[in-house]
Amino acid sequence: KEGILKASNVPSPEMIGKNFSYRDYYQGVSKEWKPYVSEAFLRAVEPKYGVVSVAVPVKSADQKSLGFILLAAKLDVIVDWIDEVSVGQGGAVYVIDKKGQMIAHQHTKMEGGFVDYSSVATIQKLLRGERGVEVVFDPIENEENVTAYAPVKEYGFGVEIVQPTRVAFAERDRQIIELALIWALITFIVGFSSYRVLKDRERIRGQRDRERILLESIGDGVVAIDRNWRITLWNKSASVITGFSEAEALGKPFREIIKFIRERDRKEDVAFIEDAIVIKKTSFMEDGVLLIKKDGSEISAGDSAAPLLDASGETEGAIIVFRDVSKEIESTHFRSDFVYASHQLRTPITEALWNLEMAMKEENLEKKKEDLQIAHQSMLSIKNLSEDLVAVSEIDQNSIMPHLMPTKFIDVLTEVQSKIDALAKDRNVTIAIAPVSPLMAINTDHKLLVRMLFEIIENAVIYSSDGATVEVKTELLGKELCIEIADTGRGIPEEEQVTIFTKFFRASNHGKENAGDGLGLYIAKAYITLLGGKIWFTSEEGKGTTFFVSLPIM
C-alpha cells in the first residue's frame, strides 16, 4: 500500500520493487482506499496506444487495506465494444475521460494521442457530472446534431452520442440506446473482475484467500455447490440479496437456503443448475423466476449456473451467479402508457360519436334506440378504461396505502358476486362459490380485496365458453387464507405465461369478441402485493386456467 510494485502478469523483473507512489493511480486509490479510474494516457512502451489504469484496493477480512491491484486496460477494448453499438445512420459514439480527452471513437482509430474536447460546451457539462440531450449545430458538417451525453458515475468519465437530427427524429424509439450504453459501461466495469475470476479459475485455485477477498467486491451473488448440492462458497453479495449470512449458508443444502420458483405457478425452478452439472455447460435461468429471501419477501432473479470441473474434466459441482433483475425487467417491459391508452380510447370514442351522429339523424325509433345503445356501451368502455388507468397511475406512483381492518370474507365474496352477476348472466356462465363460514375473517383492506377478486373472476368469466362454470373455493391453511378461481376457458399459451401480469397484456388467443384493456391482472397482482399476499396460476391452452391467491390472516 506504500506504492511498491510486488508482482505483474507481464514479465518485467526490473520493475519489481520499484516505488510508484508518485503515479496518478496511486494518488487516487490511496485517498480513501476506494476503486479509482485514472485519465487516459499513452504508455511509454507502446506510445501509439492509450490505456486507462483501474486501481482496486485489496482489503483483509477486517477491512484493513493491504494494497491494491492495478489493471492497465487498453483503450482498444472500449473501441471494440462501442463498435458494436448501433446508433443509426450517420451516428457515432465516443468516450471522454476525466480531462475531457476523447479516448475512444466509434469510427476513428485513436493512435498516437488524444483529442482535447474540454472546451466543447456539452463536454464541459458532462465533466461537471451533468447529463442531457441537446440539439447542437455543427459548423463543419453544416447541420444540426442531436447530442446525448452522460457521465460514468464516480469515475469522471463520460459518453457522448451524436446523430444528425434528420435521422434521430425519424427514429426516436432508438434513442433508448443511450440507456443501454450507460448500463453496458457500468456492467463492463463491475463485471470485468467476475469474468476474470471465472476465466482464470484453475490458475487461481491455489490462492483461496485472495479469491475470497476478490469475491467480496462482486455485486452479484456468487454461490458454489458440490455434487451433493451442499454450499461450499458464499460471497457477501449473496448475503445482501438473500438475507442469509455466510455462517448460515455454508455446508447447508442449497435448496434449503436459496429457493428459486417460477412466478406463474410457484413451482421450484433449478433446471438451469441441473443442466450445468449434467451437461457441463453454462445454463441460464428462464424468464419469470423469483427468489424467496430469508424474510419471505420475493424479488425477480436472473443469471446463470456454470459447471465446476476437476483436472480430469469431471463435474465436481457448479457455481451459481444471481442478481436482482426487477429494474431490468421494468426497463425491458417499458411502454408508453399514454400512447397505448390513446390507442385504446380511440376506437370506443369513434364508435360512440358515430352512433350518436347516426341516432341524431335517424327517424326510425327502433334504429335510433339501437344506435344509442351502441353509443352507451362504447361510453361504458371508455369509463372502465379510464378507471383502470387511474388505478394503474396510483399503483405506479406508490400512492395507495392499504387500510387494514377485520373483514368477514363472506361479505367480500357477496359484494364481488353482486358486481359480476350481470356479466355472468349475459355470457351464460355460472359462478359456483363454495360455502364459506360466516365467522371466517381476515385483517385486510376490504376495498382492495374486493377489486382484486373481481378482476380475477371477471377475467375467468370473460374467457369461459357459453354454459361453462367458474369455481371459487376458499380454505384456511395455517396462517393464510387460500383462494382458488378455476375456469375451463381458452387457457394461456405457454410461451406467453411469463408476461401475464404485465401492463396491457392480452393473450394472442383472446378472440375479437372479448374486449378488454389488459390491465385487470396487473391491478390484481399489485393489490395482492400491497395486502402482503401472493398470486400464481396454472394454465393449459384449450383447457382453462386456475388462479391461486394466498393472503395473511393477520
Side-chain angles (χ1 to χ4, degrees), residues 136-145:
V136 180
F137 182 76
D138 184 349
I140 298 177
E141 299 292 338
N142 195 31
E143 67 175 342
E144 287 187 334
N145 289 330

Side-chain angles (χ1 to χ4, degrees), residues 42 47-50 75 101-103 109-115:
L42 299 176
K48 288 179 62 179
Y49 301 102
L75 296 182
Q101 303 177 117
M102 183 170 71
I103 63 171
K109 294 293 184 182
M110 304 301 297
E111 298 182 0
F114 310 116
V115 180

Side-chain angles (χ1 to χ4, degrees), residues 521-538:
L521 292 180
Y522 174 82
I523 294 171
K525 185 177 187 299
Y527 284 0
I528 291 169
T529 303
L530 286 170
L531 296 176
K534 301 178 181 66
I535 183 172
W536 66 99
F537 67 93
T538 59

Side-chain angles (χ1 to χ4, degrees), residues 345 378-388:
L345 286 166
S378 298
M379 296 305 295
L380 286 178
S381 298
I382 297 170
K383 174 180 175 292
N384 293 336
L385 176 57
S386 300
E387 291 175 349
D388 285 350

Side-chain angles (χ1 to χ4, degrees), residues 43 142 145 147 242 284 302 306 308 414 422 430 446 448 503 507:
R43 300 181 65 180
N142 195 31
N145 289 330
T147 301
T242 66
F284 295 87
L308 288 175
T414 301
T430 301
H446 179 92
L448 295 184
K503 275 186 281 189

Side-chain angles (χ1 to χ4, degrees), residues 181-194:
L181 178 62
I182 296 171
W183 170 247
L185 276 172
I186 296 172
T187 302
F188 170 78
I189 294 172
V190 176
F192 187 78
S193 295
S194 176

Side-chain angles (χ1 to χ4, degrees), residues 170-439:
E171 302 179 36
R172 297 187 182 203
D173 57 319
R174 297 195 181 185
Q175 292 180 6
I176 200 165
I177 195 71
E178 176 188 353
L179 179 61
L181 178 62
I182 296 171
W183 170 247
L185 276 172
I186 296 172
T187 302
F188 170 78
I189 294 172
V190 176
F192 187 78
S193 295
S194 176
Y195 170 79
R196 293 295 299 174
V197 168
L198 294 174
K199 189 75 173 177
D200 302 329
R201 186 184 61 237
E202 291 297 329
R203 182 174 60 81
I204 65 173
R205 176 172 286 180
Q207 303 172 6
R208 293 294 186 182
D209 292 340
R210 182 172 294 180
E211 180 186 63
R212 165 57 62 184
I213 296 172
L214 290 174
L215 280 173
E216 296 306 321
S217 68
I218 299 175
D220 290 355
V222 180
V223 177
I225 59 174
D226 60 20
R227 286 192 62 84
N228 296 319
W229 288 62
R230 290 193 173 274
I231 298 173
T232 59
L233 177 70
W234 183 271
N235 77 338
K236 184 177 180 179
S237 293
S239 297
V240 173
I241 295 172
T242 66
F244 289 97
S245 67
E246 182 180 18
E248 292 173 314
L250 285 180
K252 301 290 177 48
F254 175 83
R255 293 157 81 174
E256 283 186 12
I257 302 298
I258 297 184
K259 296 179 177 64
F260 291 121
I261 62 172
R262 291 196 297 262
E263 183 177 17
R264 66 176 185 269
D265 57 12
R266 303 195 67 78
K267 292 183 179 179
E268 185 181 36
D269 183 16
V270 291
F272 71 105
I273 303 176
E274 294 171 344
D275 288 345
I277 295 175
V278 176
I279 305 176
K280 300 181 183 179
K281 62 181 293 187
T282 301
S283 182
F284 295 87
M285 291 185 192
E286 64 179 83
D287 293 334
V289 173
L290 301 176
L291 168 64
I292 302 178
K293 300 171 66 173
K294 181 181 178 180
D295 61 6
S297 62
E298 300 172 355
I299 59 173
S300 296
D303 221 305
S304 60
L308 288 175
L309 306 177
D310 59 23
S312 63
E314 293 300 318
T315 305
E316 61 179 22
I319 186 162
I320 299 99
V321 181
F322 59 93
R323 67 186 189 281
D324 184 348
V325 298
S326 302
K327 292 184 179 180
E328 294 178 42
I329 292 174
E330 181 180 352
S331 176
T332 301
H333 292 161
F334 172 77
R335 292 189 186 184
S336 172
D337 294 353
F338 176 78
V339 173
Y340 190 89
S342 299
H343 175 75
Q344 290 291 91
L345 286 166
R346 185 180 296 117
T347 299
I349 289 175
T350 302
E351 189 173 23
L353 289 173
W354 170 261
N355 283 278
L356 285 172
E357 290 176 3
M358 293 297 293
M360 292 169 64
K361 299 175 182 178
E362 184 60 57
E363 296 181 359
N364 184 295
L365 292 179
E366 287 299 321
K367 186 64 172 64
K368 182 188 291 286
K369 181 179 180 181
E370 180 183 345
D371 290 339
L372 288 173
Q373 287 176 338
I374 296 174
H376 178 259
Q377 190 62 41
S378 298
M379 296 305 295
L380 286 178
S381 298
I382 297 170
K383 174 180 175 292
N384 293 336
L385 176 57
S386 300
E387 291 175 349
D388 285 350
L389 289 173
V390 170
V392 168
S393 176
E394 292 174 343
I395 292 167
D396 291 344
Q397 296 178 35
N398 298 316
S399 61
I400 302 176
M401 294 295 293
H403 301 289
L404 304 182
M405 60 183 62
T407 303
K408 289 185 178 181
F409 192 66
I410 193 170
D411 294 339
V412 173
L413 289 176
T414 301
E415 185 173 343
V416 172
Q417 188 167 22
S418 67
K419 290 176 176 289
I420 203 74
D421 267 348
L423 176 64
K425 290 178 181 178
D426 184 56
R427 290 180 171 266
N428 192 27
V429 174
T430 301
I431 300 177
I433 300 178
V436 175
S437 170
L439 301 179

Side-chain angles (χ1 to χ4, degrees), residues 41-55:
F41 60 90
L42 299 176
R43 300 181 65 180
V45 293
E46 295 178 289
K48 288 179 62 179
Y49 301 102
V51 297
V52 171
S53 293
V54 181

